[in-house]
Amino acid sequence: KARALARGTLPHYLIGVPSAACFAIVGGDSYPWNMPSVRNAVLAGSIAGFVEAMVMQPADVIKTRFQARAFSQASLWRTFADAARIEGVLAYYKGIVPTLCTVTPKVTLQMGGLAFFTPRCKDIVPDALVPATAGVLTGTVQALAFLTPMETIKVRQQVEVGWDGSYRTMVGTMRHMAANEGFLGFYQGLAPTVVRQSWGLVVKFSGYEGIKAMLIDRPGETLAGWKHALAGGATNIAVGVLNSPPDVVKTRMQEQSSATRRYASSWDCCCSIAREEGLRAFFRGSVLRILRIAPGGAIQFGIYGVVSDWLDVQFP
């Protein structure tokens, strides 16, 4: 039972190198670790992402199960209660290894992406569209570079009931998928992942910057941690609702293996869900998603804001 908490955590740590590589590719000669603002943003984002992942993992496990087709007939309470009753309390931390391997670099790239892409977008698009454009670029890089494979591994671990299946550990899941589904098996649900990340970051970046602007009392003010947390938490409420449809499709695509394949493509998945379960199914788990990412966003942005401001003063 104790092993359940560690499921999915390792993949999150394995994301660091690909994240740095993505920055190197995008930045060319202007490799962002030579840019103090981006360097500080990446470090602050990494710390914030780790804390947020550890605190909010139980909500993510229940959200993923509730969205999965295998649990489509279960109520939210039944999904929650059965996890502890059948697998023990540690079941709420299944997939934590891939989660830490994914969330920490994801948030690192998210914060670093905001600092990296924003100044480059200012000469390309109108000022009002700069945060949204930075969000689209960052979300696309996240999904392509590392997030889709790690999310697929995490979902497989989280939806499997018990501890004796093929997805007991992250490494075992990777081996099983590679042997039975090949490389492309890790990229199931790529399209909805790109949509989810890009659209989510458009809302998050635009909302976060907009709410921060409203909370500034005077030009040049250093915002208090609670103001960063308020801006992040409020923004993530909108993200939780607006980003639910691609998240449901992503989960459905990634839970299916070659032996249990039901959907031929992400579009086929969308059509099947709408036809068989109705439009409400696209918002299945949205309440849990809000409960997971709203406080998660407050934690993430609160810690990020405080650490980032401190780093900017200490290491300008």
Side-chain angles (χ1 to χ4, degrees), residues 60-72 148 151-160 188-193 196 243-257 260 262-263 266 269-270 273 281-282 284-286 289:
D60 187 62
V61 171
I62 301 304
K63 185 271 299 180
T64 300
R65 288 193 172 190
F66 194 59
Q67 289 178 336
R69 183 173 180 80
F71 296 83
S72 61
T148 302
E151 284 276 313
T152 301
I153 294 169
K154 183 200 73 169
V155 168
R156 295 290 179 88
Q157 288 191 275
Q158 289 182 337
V159 300
E160 183 178 67
Q188 289 200 77
L190 173 61
T193 303
R196 188 194 71 167
N243 224 13
S244 184
D247 192 53
V248 170
V249 175
K250 178 198 77 71
T251 298
R252 294 291 180 90
M253 290 297 295
Q254 292 177 339
E255 72 168 315
Q256 62 178 8
S257 65
T260 61
R262 178 181 177 82
Y263 309 114
S266 296
C269 180
C270 289
I273 292 174
F282 288 106
R284 186 174 174 85
S286 59
R289 184 165 166 75

Side-chain angles (χ1 to χ4, degrees), residues 113-114 117-118 121-122 125-140 194-195 197-210:
L114 178 61
F117 287 118
T118 296
C121 293
K122 287 182 177 179
V125 300
D127 289 346
L129 296 179
V130 168
T133 305
V136 169
L137 293 172
T138 301
T140 301
V194 169
V195 173
Q197 290 307 114
S198 298
W199 172 236
L201 291 182
V202 165
V203 176
K204 184 177 290 187
F205 283 3
S206 300
Y208 177 62
E209 292 299 318

Side-chain angles (χ1 to χ4, degrees), residues 14-15 17-23 25 109 138-150 183 187 190 193-194:
L14 299 179
I15 297 309
V17 173
S19 297
C22 289
F23 272 133
I25 293 171
L109 182 54
T138 301
T140 301
V141 172
Q142 282 182 335
L144 290 173
F146 62 84
L147 194 56
T148 302
M150 291 297 105
F183 175 77
Y187 274 87
L190 173 61
T193 303
V194 169

Side-chain angles (χ1 to χ4, degrees), residues 211-213 215-217 221-228 305-306 309:
I211 295 175
K212 270 205 319 180
L215 295 174
I216 293 177
D217 296 323
E221 174 190 5
T222 298
L223 286 183
W226 71 266
K227 291 185 177 181
H228 284 288
V306 172
D309 289 342

Side-chain angles (χ1 to χ4, degrees), residues 27-28 55 67 79 108 111 133 154 170 190 214 234 238 240 277 292 299-300 313:
V55 173
Q67 289 178 336
T79 303
T108 299
M111 301 306 185
T133 305
K154 183 200 73 169
M170 193 194 84
L190 173 61
M214 292 189 293
E277 303 173 58
R292 187 253 181 268
I299 294 170
Q300 182 186 117
V313 173

